[in-house]
Amino acid sequence: MVIDDTNLSRAWARLLLQILGGAGTEIAPLVLSLSGFDQNGAPAEDPAVRQALDRLLKRKSRLVVDDVAFTIFPQRLWEMSRGDRARLFALYRATFPRWQAMNRKANGRGLYFERMVMYGRGPCDGNQLEWILSQFNSRTGVRRSMLQATTFDPARDHVASAQLGFPCLQQVSFEPTAAGLVVNAFYATQQIFDKAYGNYLGLAQLGAFMAHEMGMSLARLNVVVGIAKLERITKSDADFAPLVAASQALVAPPPAQVARPPIAAATVGARH
């Protein structure tokens, strides 16, 4: 399935409705391409779909969209840093143990942004994003294959566990183009209900940060998913109804405009 859209909420709604209306609970593969970012790199969203999803996530005791997005990019810390990326990285390093301790079961293996800036080895003390930005900004003609960050680590992640919730995101690449920065993300698997929307938002926020630091606009986000699947909720769950209604209203084409006949001009000097 290929989804190309200019609105994050509509792109995700199209994915949800496709899986709900089709056979089975998986789409393999999925390619989602998002554009239409504003001058600050923020994606267009629909409040009705976003609010309906957050309400359902809370009802099912799942993380809301912003909290999922935070695992990929700490937008709140970036805003606190006031455009100073060194301060962002320092804040994150100082507070990461707290984020991890808040949900040791889910975060015990790490978080995506932590893997990107605290990988454990490599240049810049394992800060892959700082390495990318410092190299890109230091000279022209930087090798473009250099501009990628990995989250998967065979030394830590090639384990024989039957289920492993992290990491599903494998790597992110950043490609400067004439139109602006293009971000490419690669997932082995992705949870449609409780993770996908937050994943897309977090990746867009990461892209906006990288574009800002590279002196360009964010042009496009491409997400390639090996298997997108609906789990932890059934298609027939009655609680889905408000979210499905909001999604259908957003995805449905606008009603056709019916052409009206022109109004006849009033007759001047008519006889009685």
Side-chain angles (χ1 to χ4, degrees):
M1 182 179 181
V2 178
I3 297 175
D4 188 350
D5 213 310
T6 58
N7 183 291
L8 191 162
S9 302
R10 187 169 56 224
W12 180 85
R14 289 168 60 186
L15 171 60
L16 176 68
L17 295 177
Q18 176 69 25
I19 199 76
L20 292 179
T25 58
E26 295 183 352
I27 292 175
L30 167 69
V31 178
L32 186 142
S33 187
L34 186 65
S35 56
F37 301 98
D38 68 15
Q39 62 182 2
N40 296 317
E45 293 187 77
D46 178 75
V49 168
R50 172 72 180 271
Q51 291 167 12
L53 175 58
D54 274 337
R55 285 194 292 268
L56 183 55
L57 289 169
K58 289 179 181 179
R59 187 176 182 87
K60 300 301 181 182
S61 300
R62 303 294 176 185
L63 295 178
V64 296
V65 168
D66 272 337
D67 289 343
V68 174
F70 188 90
T71 66
I72 297 175
F73 185 74
Q75 183 67 24
R76 298 190 295 275
L77 297 185
W78 176 231
E79 292 169 359
M80 291 170 56
S81 300
R82 299 180 181 275
D84 182 345
R85 77 170 184 261
R87 186 179 182 206
L88 167 66
F89 296 145
L91 276 173
Y92 190 82
R93 284 193 298 269
T95 57
F96 171 72
R98 186 191 314 163
W99 308 122
Q100 191 172 43
M102 288 173 65
N103 192 340
R104 178 63 63 173
K105 181 179 180 180
N107 301 335
R109 298 180 56 79
L111 295 172
Y112 291 117
F113 192 73
E114 176 252 346
R115 288 279 178 104
M116 284 186 268
V117 302
M118 300 164 59
Y119 193 74
R121 59 190 186 276
C124 296
D125 294 325
N127 188 335
Q128 301 177 78
L129 301 185
E130 179 58 34
W131 166 253
I132 291 169
L133 293 171
S134 62
Q135 292 298 306
F136 180 81
N137 293 326
S138 66
R139 62 190 187 278
T140 58
V142 169
R143 170 174 51 87
R144 293 199 297 177
S145 61
M146 183 188 298
L147 310 179
Q148 58 180 312
T150 185
T151 57
F152 185 87
D153 181 1
R156 289 177 280 183
D157 302 322
H158 272 164
V159 296
S161 302
Q163 291 187 334
L164 200 65
F166 176 92
C168 296
L169 172 64
Q170 299 173 328
Q171 70 181 98
V172 185
S173 70
F174 307 94
E175 299 298 340
T177 72
L181 185 65
V182 176
V183 178
N184 305 295
F186 303 88
Y187 280 82
T189 63
Q190 187 175 67
Q191 298 289 340
I192 295 173
F193 165 57
D194 53 349
K195 295 293 179 63
Y197 196 117
N199 290 163
Y200 305 149
L201 179 59
L203 288 167
Q205 292 170 340
L206 173 64
F209 162 73
M210 294 297 285
H212 177 272
E213 295 301 291
M214 296 167 79
M216 62 185 69
S217 61
L218 177 60
R220 185 172 289 273
L221 166 65
N222 298 312
V223 185
V224 179
V225 183
I227 303 174
K229 50 190 178 180
L230 184 71
E231 293 184 335
R232 305 189 183 101
I233 191 170
T234 63
K235 290 184 176 184
S236 59
D237 194 314
D239 292 335
F240 249 139
L243 177 56
V244 170
S247 297
Q248 289 174 334
L250 179 60
V251 171
Q257 296 294 321
V258 178
R260 296 183 178 181
I263 300 174
T267 302
V268 179
R271 296 180 180 178
H272 298 280

